[in-house]
Amino acid sequence: MSADTVPDADWGTVTGWGRTAPTGALVVRPRTYEEAAVAVRDCGVRGAVARGLGRAYGDAAQNAGGAVLDMTGLDRVHAVDVAGGTVLCDAGVSLHRLMEVLLPLGWFVPVTPGTRYVTVGGAIGADIHGKNHHVSGSFTRHVLSLELLTADGRVRTVTPGTPLFEATAGGMGLTGVILTATLRLQPVETALMSVDTDRA
């Protein structure tokens, strides 16, 4: 695979949020699931790894000399079940975008890290946690299913309790490219906050 044979691909330098250990890779920006599948199929011996918004502190989502799939072009919210409290979205959707869509409907994801600028796929791949980890657990505890593009070119529906789900949750993208996810949501009862202040 080369930048000449893949639409919207070029060689570039990739780093994590900490900007340590930059590497050169073919950065592919798929806009469809089919383009992602072609990139995975044609990636060559160095393989391909998916990348979200690049907020990992270390060197996650780097592939020196290989392909890195920038998944932020696959960023659709497909369906929100307001009655059931679930959302189906692409892996490239940011938590910021989910806030924009879900909060007016009275819902949000139960676990958020220190930034809203991470993708759903990255949140699953890193199995992120927030300040409420002791109560709500990590992000993948609230994933009902996901669609995973594996190295053999197949798209698999993966659900909690299966070995492939357990390997993908926190697997840093090494089991395949997450395409979509269905998430269980948490109701937001009000935009107001009650604060008690105790003075010593």
Side-chain angles (χ1 to χ4, degrees), residues 26-30 36 39-40 48-52 67-71 149 177:
L26 180 63
V27 180
V28 181
R29 297 170 194 83
V40 168
V49 67
R51 180 181 180 85
V68 173
L69 278 64
D70 177 344
M71 298 299 289
L149 171 64
V177 176

Side-chain angles (χ1 to χ4, degrees), residues 106-161:
W107 294 99
F108 193 55
V109 292
V111 174
T112 57
T115 178
R116 64 179 119 179
Y117 299 106
V118 297
T119 61
V120 169
I124 294 168
D127 199 11
I128 62 167
H129 62 85
K131 301 296 184 198
N132 62 344
H133 189 263
H134 62 290
V135 175
S136 297
S138 59
F139 194 85
T140 59
R141 181 176 178 185
H142 307 280
V143 175
L144 300 175
S145 68
L146 57 89
E147 298 289 317
L148 185 71
L149 171 64
T150 54
D152 61 6
R154 293 177 52 197
V155 176
R156 301 166 193 260
T157 300
V158 184
T159 56

Side-chain angles (χ1 to χ4, degrees), residues 1 6-9 28-42 69-71 73-74 149 179:
M1 178 169 54
V6 178
D8 203 4
V28 181
R29 297 170 194 83
R31 301 285 180 221
T32 66
Y33 305 136
E34 293 76 20
E35 287 180 6
V38 167
V40 168
R41 184 193 67 217
D42 296 344
L69 278 64
D70 177 344
M71 298 299 289
L74 291 169
L149 171 64
L179 298 175

Side-chain angles (χ1 to χ4, degrees), residues 1-199:
M1 178 169 54
S2 73
D4 299 327
T5 61
V6 178
D8 203 4
D10 54 24
W11 285 92
T13 301
V14 181
T15 67
W17 182 250
R19 300 197 177 157
T20 60
T23 60
L26 180 63
V27 180
V28 181
R29 297 170 194 83
R31 301 285 180 221
T32 66
Y33 305 136
E34 293 76 20
E35 287 180 6
V38 167
V40 168
R41 184 193 67 217
D42 296 344
C43 63
V45 296
R46 292 288 304 154
V49 67
R51 180 181 180 85
L53 288 168
R55 295 306 196 270
Y57 289 114
D59 58 359
Q62 292 184 220
N63 188 14
V68 173
L69 278 64
D70 177 344
M71 298 299 289
T72 58
L74 291 169
D75 61 352
R76 293 165 299 194
V77 176
H78 295 283
V80 178
D81 179 351
V82 176
T86 62
V87 62
L88 168 62
C89 62
D90 286 341
V93 171
S94 69
L95 296 188
H96 175 78
R97 179 69 183 128
L98 283 182
M99 278 184 182
E100 293 176 332
V101 171
L102 298 173
L103 282 174
L105 300 174
W107 294 99
F108 193 55
V109 292
V111 174
T112 57
T115 178
R116 64 179 119 179
Y117 299 106
V118 297
T119 61
V120 169
I124 294 168
D127 199 11
I128 62 167
H129 62 85
K131 301 296 184 198
N132 62 344
H133 189 263
H134 62 290
V135 175
S136 297
S138 59
F139 194 85
T140 59
R141 181 176 178 185
H142 307 280
V143 175
L144 300 175
S145 68
L146 57 89
E147 298 289 317
L148 185 71
L149 171 64
T150 54
D152 61 6
R154 293 177 52 197
V155 176
R156 301 166 193 260
T157 300
V158 184
T159 56
T162 62
L164 189 53
F165 183 90
E166 301 307 322
T168 302
M172 301 305 287
L174 297 180
T175 60
V177 176
I178 300 168
L179 298 175
T180 67
T182 301
L183 310 174
R184 181 184 321 108
L185 302 173
Q186 173 178 310
V188 177
E189 297 175 7
T190 178
L192 304 175
M193 184 184 321
S194 174
V195 178
D196 292 327
T197 303
D198 295 327
R199 298 197 185 265

